[in-house]
Amino acid sequence: MLNIVIFGAPGSGKGTQSERIVEKYGINHISTGDVLRGEMKNGTELGQIAKGYIDQGQLLPDNLIVDMLAKTLDGFQDSKGVIFDGFPRTIAQAEALKAMLAERGQSVSVMLDLDVPEEELMTRLIKRGQESGRADDNEETIKKRLVVYHSQTAPLIDWYRQEGLYAHINGLGQLETITNEICQAIDAVK
Ligand code: ADP
């Protein structure tokens, strides 16, 4: 089982690289952001709750996200593994993921940290907002998301270093070059 955590600030390219990894390794993909946007689009109760947090650039409460993730995980059958994109985003979520996988006799194989300079993140997200109309990709909300990333999510870098699972990836440059660096990190733990 290949359980990959793809990590990085908003705009670091997690979604784009995840698609490539899914294609190459034939594993399942969970993007918490995509699941939440689906819930919002369908106007579910979770979607309505999520909207309040997402519009403010804040994280949803850990228990809501962890429950949602467990349900998605249980929906996968005969899975060769999973790429977790946008999860975990707090230490509590990382601990919950560890426990959830341990219950299934599994563990995280590697954490890939897509490292991209702050100015580049801003440029990419503003462009994405203009092209996709994604409501949280506006300058004000992006700034809040980056603050949340630094205060609540970035501490996971040290957490995964201590677990011996950390892999640094240079997230700036040609898509293909980044994918190659990612594949090397995955093949090293496969
Ligand atoms: P990005 O990484 O570009 O910020 P995502 O699509 O991963 O975008 O997430 C969008 C929003 O969804 C986040 O700003 C947050 O409000 C919410 N969200 C996604 N994943 C989580 C999570 N693991 N915990 C809490 N909130 C989350």
Side-chain angles (χ1 to χ4, degrees):
M1 276 290 205
L2 203 50
N3 290 308
I4 300 168
V5 171
I6 191 157
F7 182 88
S12 56
K14 300 184 292 288
T16 308
Q17 293 296 335
S18 292
E19 283 173 22
R20 293 167 161 240
I21 298 170
V22 164
E23 204 171 303
K24 173 150 189 204
Y25 295 93
I27 56 178
N28 293 104
H29 178 206
I30 302 183
S31 157
T32 45
D34 285 351
V35 176
L36 293 171
R37 281 183 288 278
E39 298 279 337
M40 291 195 291
K41 201 167 157 227
N42 293 329
T44 65
E45 198 186 336
L46 176 58
Q48 285 169 23
I49 298 170
K51 189 175 183 334
Y53 290 94
I54 292 177
D55 285 350
Q56 292 304 312
Q58 300 300 314
L59 297 182
L60 271 77
D62 289 327
N63 61 328
L64 285 184
I65 292 286
V66 170
D67 285 352
M68 180 181 100
L69 195 96
K71 277 188 202 129
T72 313
L73 208 53
D74 286 335
F76 296 148
Q77 264 145 26
D78 301 325
S79 178
K80 289 195 212 163
V82 177
I83 181 152
F84 297 93
D85 161 7
F87 181 93
R89 259 176 153 96
T90 62
I91 302 240
Q93 291 181 17
E95 280 165 351
L97 177 62
K98 190 177 178 180
M100 211 184 292
L101 291 175
E103 276 171 25
R104 293 162 173 82
Q106 297 176 39
S107 59
V108 169
S109 316
V110 66
M111 183 265 218
L112 306 166
D113 177 21
L114 278 178
D115 189 9
V116 174
E118 193 103 0
E119 319 82 69
E120 170 72 10
L121 295 171
M122 202 59 168
T123 312
R124 288 187 190 176
L125 289 167
I126 287 175
K127 186 161 168 255
R128 185 171 76 184
Q130 286 163 350
E131 286 169 1
S132 72
R134 202 175 123 172
D136 59 342
D137 284 342
N138 65 76
E139 196 165 343
E140 195 192 336
T141 313
I142 294 167
K143 283 187 179 148
K144 288 187 192 160
R145 282 155 64 205
L146 290 172
V147 169
V148 167
Y149 169 76
H150 287 296
S151 62
Q152 300 188 54
T153 305
L156 284 173
I157 292 174
D158 276 339
W159 195 90
Y160 275 107
R161 271 205 186 105
Q162 279 165 18
E163 296 273 308
L165 296 171
Y166 179 83
H168 177 269
I169 306 289
N170 175 13
L172 198 61
Q174 298 279 334
L175 281 184
E176 200 57 37
T177 313
I178 302 168
T179 309
N180 286 341
E181 196 181 340
I182 288 177
C183 292
Q184 277 175 23
I186 297 174
D187 292 339
V189 299
K190 227 169 55 148

